[in-house]
Amino acid sequence: MSLGSADAVVVGGGVIGCSIAYHLAGRGAKVALVEKDALGSQSTGKCAGGVRRQFSSETNVLMQQMSVRLLKGLEAETGVDPEFRQIGYLFVLTNDHQVADFKRLLSMWQRLGVSDARWVEPAEIRELAPIVRGDDILGGTFCPTDGIASPHAVTSAYAGAAKRLGARIIEGVAVTGIDVRGGRVSAVTTSAGEITTPAVFNCAGAWAREVGKMAGVAVPVEPYPRNIFVTEPMPAVTRDHPMTIDMTTSFYFHPEGEGLLFGMGLRNETPSFETQVDWAALDAMAEVVERRAPALGNAGVRTAWAGLYEMTPDHQPILGPVDDLDGFWCACGFSGHGFQQAPAVGHLLARCFVGERPEVPLDAFAHRRFTTGVVEPELNVI
Ligand SMILES: Cc1cc2nc3c(=O)[nH]c(=O)nc-3n(C[C@H](O)[C@H](O)[C@H](O)COP(=O)(O)OP(=O)(O)OC[C@H]3O[C@@H](n4cnc5c(N)ncnc54)[C@H](O)[C@@H]3O)c2cc1C
């Protein structure tokens, strides 16, 4: 069956696909977005909602400056409040190497316009984050205008606005094949029929490698399960407590409802599509929680869920058209940071699609880097 034609088919309706569909439609493109499940039901719906500018690569900092600006204007633009709460991001550092790195990064952040990011001594860390403990803390960085936003609200904002601009959003339909004719994309096959198109955006998150294979394009994205736990109410912790990250272990937490949301990357993680909560992860985190935020450890866990990080070898996204196949675009491999990058990514790729220069150079994120050499790996990965 024919599902008609489109200037571009977006594969995947997470926050990235919805942002791209909106921004492409805003530039006059006829867009069809195909989502095999429900919009925002995968990594986007499982994410911690963090939004920061404190990255190690300059391109990510510039992109995040843009994302923060776009998030702040999202309600005016789409009518939906993204629930962006600028409670700040606090990095807690415990070794000399981190101190040197973050002091160097701080001057880069300030040079790029993140003017309110600052160095904080251990005493100020205790004021900002009273439940944090540890004689080993050497200092940290704090940016009060970083924060958290709602993945559900941001995704709905973009999906709704895309529809109003004429984009077709098709849920419960899987892309099963990508047709290539004369060396370029010619159509997308789905479980409901075919869409003729000269362009495909691979926004399939943890499944980006599989969608790449459909077009014969190697997309080095691997799924890594990550757990999130939310505590019982903790009335002693204020609701504007900053997102706090113990850099050595990647243990992080921020206010969620009346409790705290927390998570941590574990050693010896292996790729898998498993999204059942791994309760053993809680035991693996226990020592770190007890040492860094014992009050959180004593609060009890009210709920938990698991989702997938979509990791690339250099922990940077893959953005833009690929050299191997005309009409095949990537917007995937966000390595655990895609929620906050979605506003800028949609805007920048839509500009590229209509032949305009993106305000932030995207060379560091080009697919070709996996053959020509990595330009700028991201080090501040949580
Ligand atoms: C526990 C956890 C915490 C996180 N915390 C943060 C955070 O604090 N800040 C942050 O910025 N990021 C965070 N992330 C990362 C963030 O969630 C992702 O980077 C982001 O959601 C990626 O969005 P996406 O649209 O690319 O992927 P997804 O939301 O996974 O969307 C991809 C979509 O593609 C669909 N799809 C796949 N294959 C097909 C197909 N063949 N046909 C049709 N549809 C298909 C899937 O069903 C899915 O809905 C976190 C992730 C996890 C798991």
Side-chain angles (χ1 to χ4, degrees), residues 12 14-16 35-36 43-44 47-48 50 175 310 336-340:
V15 69
I16 295 292
E35 164 54 51
K36 68 177 173 170
S43 299
T44 298
C47 114
V175 168
E310 358 72 302
H337 308 121
F339 167 61
Q340 59 198 293

Side-chain angles (χ1 to χ4, degrees), residues 78-382:
T78 66
V80 179
D81 175 5
E83 297 165 35
F84 184 27
R85 297 202 302 121
Q86 291 176 288
I87 56 176
Y89 248 77
L90 173 66
F91 278 89
V92 175
L93 310 176
T94 49
N95 69 53
D96 293 335
H97 181 61
Q98 290 167 349
V99 168
D101 281 350
F102 274 72
K103 285 194 166 165
R104 184 180 45 78
L105 289 177
L106 200 50
S107 55
M108 184 262 280
W109 299 334
Q110 285 165 348
R111 174 168 53 80
L112 297 181
V114 189
S115 48
D116 52 354
R118 66 175 196 269
W119 180 256
V120 281
E121 295 294 340
E124 191 177 355
I125 290 179
R126 282 190 286 276
E127 279 166 30
L128 289 165
I131 67 166
V132 167
R133 295 282 180 278
D135 294 340
D136 56 340
I137 296 173
L138 299 176
T141 59
F142 179 60
C143 179
T145 50
D146 287 347
I148 51 176
S150 159
H152 172 73
V154 175
T155 307
S156 330
Y158 283 131
K163 275 189 206 164
R164 287 194 293 280
L165 289 168
R168 265 194 299 163
I169 308 261
I170 306 166
E171 288 180 83
V173 168
V175 168
T176 52
I178 294 170
D179 296 350
V180 175
R181 214 167 282 160
R184 62 163 306 124
V185 167
S186 63
V188 165
T189 311
T190 77
S191 51
E194 185 181 274
I195 308 173
T196 308
T197 186
V200 170
F201 280 79
N202 181 357
C203 305
W207 296 267
R209 181 190 290 271
E210 282 65 30
V211 170
K213 272 190 201 149
M214 294 176 194
V217 177
V219 178
V221 171
E222 293 204 294
Y224 279 84
R226 282 295 179 95
N227 300 277
I228 279 184
F229 302 94
V230 181
T231 69
E232 295 288 352
M234 295 182 69
V237 180
T238 60
R239 297 301 90 198
D240 58 357
H241 188 292
M243 165 75 115
T244 303
I245 296 151
D246 180 54
M247 193 57 195
T248 300
T249 58
S250 85
F251 165 52
Y252 68 88
F253 60 91
H254 69 64
E256 177 81 3
E258 295 173 6
L260 287 176
L261 175 156
F262 65 102
M264 187 174 108
L266 298 177
R267 285 184 212 287
N268 306 323
E269 290 176 323
T270 50
S272 151
F273 283 102
E274 181 59 64
T275 51
Q276 292 293 317
V277 173
D278 175 10
W279 289 98
L282 204 52
D283 296 334
M285 292 171 65
E287 181 275 326
V288 175
V289 175
E290 184 54 33
R291 182 160 44 82
R292 193 59 71 216
L296 187 157
N298 296 335
V301 170
R302 169 171 276 194
T303 185
W305 62 84
L308 300 173
Y309 267 27
E310 358 72 302
M311 303 302 282
T312 60
D314 59 357
H315 301 154
Q316 295 281 33
I318 311 172
L319 298 182
V322 305
D323 293 341
D324 321 27
L325 177 63
D326 279 352
F328 191 86
W329 292 62
C330 283
C332 51
F334 290 92
S335 306
H337 308 121
F339 167 61
Q340 59 198 293
Q341 297 188 316
V345 163
H347 170 86
L348 294 168
L349 288 188
R351 276 183 80 101
C352 296
F353 189 70
V354 297
E356 289 173 16
R357 228 178 133 78
E359 299 96 325
V360 177
L362 297 177
D363 312 302
F365 302 148
H367 177 259
R368 73 175 68 88
R369 73 184 187 270
F370 300 112
T371 42
T372 59
V374 165
V375 184
E376 207 184 7
E378 176 54 48
L379 306 176
N380 290 357
V381 182
I382 309 307

